[in-house]
Amino acid sequence: MTMIRIGAWCVNPASGQISRDGETARVEVRTMRLLLCLAEHAGKVVSSDDLLNQVWSGVFVNQDSVYQAVASLRRLLGDDPKQPAYIETVPRLGYRLVATVSPWVDQSAAQTGTPLVSDSAQASLATSDTCDAQKKPSAGIRAIFMWAAGAALGLALVGAFLLHGKFPNGNHSTSAAIASPPQKSMAVLPFLDLTDTMSQEPFADGMTEELIDKLSKIPGLQVPPPTSSFSFKSKLWPRSHGNPQLTIADIAKTLGVAYVLDGSVRKSGARVRVDARLIRADNGYVVWSETYDRPFGDILMVQDDIAGEVTKALRTSIEARPDH
């Protein structure tokens, strides 16, 4: 009863998954909260501050977390930021979900006449007034979204406990038999151009190549070459719904790495901001992140400077991690 339709996707907050045409993707807890928040105010602009208050309530983060979460959500949905079918960026104001939102109705159930969503819930979704993200939505839709987000968080916490808790000896020996990638291995995904005009893709690509070059020189660290990383570029930002959508775990498995480094590039006036984050592939958690602001002058010097800073930080982090 908690499943909803957003565009072509079936969103199941309780399981933390979205599905479409036979493909299923796992969504991180806060990313799911972000999607539900935008869906709750579908068609309306929601500011970054509102998203911070509703999605990261009680957590000290800045607007960079919003940018990263939106970029991650777009990748999952297969959305094109230049021609958005799901999430539209409204410069200096926030984000707007432009896809249609409705209760999910299973076709097999529809054919038998069995309703999956109660009449009261359908009425709440149909009449909910979300003209302003600051206004309190109707009790019906608020209850649906809050319950769904809470259920997703609860399942994620249980999954985290099971993942990191102690396993019985039998399960441990079974999991140990499964081949795992070297712990000191990392792929650098093409950095995303998040500038308003989407005109800094060459700079973002150069940033990616510079990072691969410097990281590959760290002794003991295995880094796939640029050709391998850039082969996933079209899959990170699909230009059509026909392209397959890959998760971080899928990419890491294909490249045989334990960690994935991704990031984005934004520009304001004469300054450029590069966000980078390191993700552990087996659980999708961010284990390191940093933001770098530089004057946008000598492009090669800026790329070399930031890549050097990122490499220095990651080298310290990697050397502190024992091999498993």
Side-chain angles (χ1 to χ4, degrees), residues 188-195 198-212 230 233 263-268 270-276 292-307 310:
V188 183
L189 295 184
F191 274 39
L192 305 176
D193 175 14
L194 299 183
T195 57
M198 305 293 292
S199 59
Q200 297 302 321
E201 186 173 351
F203 175 82
D205 289 347
M207 189 79 255
T208 304
E209 293 200 31
E210 194 68 31
L211 279 165
I212 293 174
F230 279 96
K233 187 172 182 178
S264 61
V265 173
R266 285 176 287 133
K267 187 173 179 289
S268 178
R271 297 190 67 83
V272 64
R273 169 171 292 182
V274 175
D275 295 308
Y292 302 90
D293 290 321
R294 295 290 188 275
F296 199 64
D298 188 325
I299 295 178
L300 294 179
M301 184 176 295
V302 172
Q303 291 173 337
D304 182 73
D305 178 30
I306 295 179
V310 173

Side-chain angles (χ1 to χ4, degrees), residues 73-89:
L73 187 54
R74 278 173 167 158
R75 287 199 296 267
L76 286 172
L77 295 173
D79 201 17
D80 185 342
K82 293 182 179 179
Q83 296 179 335
Y86 288 91
I87 302 175
E88 176 186 15
T89 299

